[in-house]
Amino acid sequence: YIRPALRGAEDDAAERFQIGMKCYVEGRYGEAIPDLRTAAELNPNRAGIRFFLGICLLLTEKTNEGIGELRKTISLGDSPYLEEAHFYLAKALLRKGDVGGAKGELNWVLEKGSNLKEEAARILAQLG
């Protein structure tokens, strides 16, 4: 994550997001969650907030909640986080034993994605 340079006053959601992302960058994922949750409550339609909240939840073994946030990220449509949201959703679904769901997400990455295509293909090949 690279913090964007913003001009002008940040809204409350953006400010809480930046506080949470400071913890995220430092590897303090559990500490990032409260600020990212607040940011998501203040601005539920910002894909970046939802995505990083989902990732922090996954990294702290809150798999079901992380899956929910990644699905919300995906439901927001096209964003810089869409491909990664599908990819990490697939990995979370595998953690839950949902191979069919994971294959669907990985196939989406293969069809539409770019950066994660090779890794998605590798995981699909391992799944058979």
Side-chain angles (χ1 to χ4, degrees):
Y1 172 77
I2 299 171
R3 181 182 177 158
L6 301 174
R7 290 182 171 34
E10 290 188 5
D11 61 16
D12 290 340
E15 189 173 314
R16 293 303 289 266
F17 176 70
Q18 293 304 327
I19 293 167
M21 290 308 293
K22 182 178 186 311
C23 294
Y24 174 88
V25 174
E26 294 171 355
R28 297 181 291 128
Y29 307 113
E31 293 176 44
I33 291 171
D35 286 303
L36 294 175
R37 270 194 213 279
T38 300
E41 290 167 7
L42 292 168
N43 190 345
N45 296 320
R46 189 161 160 213
I49 294 171
R50 294 285 184 192
F51 176 76
F52 285 106
L53 175 56
I55 295 301
C56 286
L57 290 164
L58 293 178
L59 290 169
T60 56
E61 304 299 321
K62 295 172 179 71
T63 305
N64 289 335
E65 291 179 79
I67 287 171
E69 290 301 326
L70 292 177
R71 285 189 169 142
K72 288 175 186 174
T73 303
I74 292 166
S75 75
L76 293 172
D78 191 32
S79 78
Y81 305 96
L82 187 58
E83 180 183 359
E84 288 178 305
H86 280 280
F87 182 78
Y88 289 110
L89 176 56
K91 292 183 110 178
L93 292 171
L94 284 174
R95 184 186 291 176
K96 298 286 294 173
D98 183 355
V99 175
K103 284 182 177 181
E105 298 301 326
L106 292 168
N107 279 317
W108 185 96
V109 172
L110 280 177
E111 292 174 18
K112 307 251 170 104
S114 57
N115 295 336
L116 297 168
K117 271 185 167 180
E118 288 181 26
E119 189 162 356
R122 184 185 58 74
I123 294 169
L124 278 167
Q126 290 175 343
L127 294 174

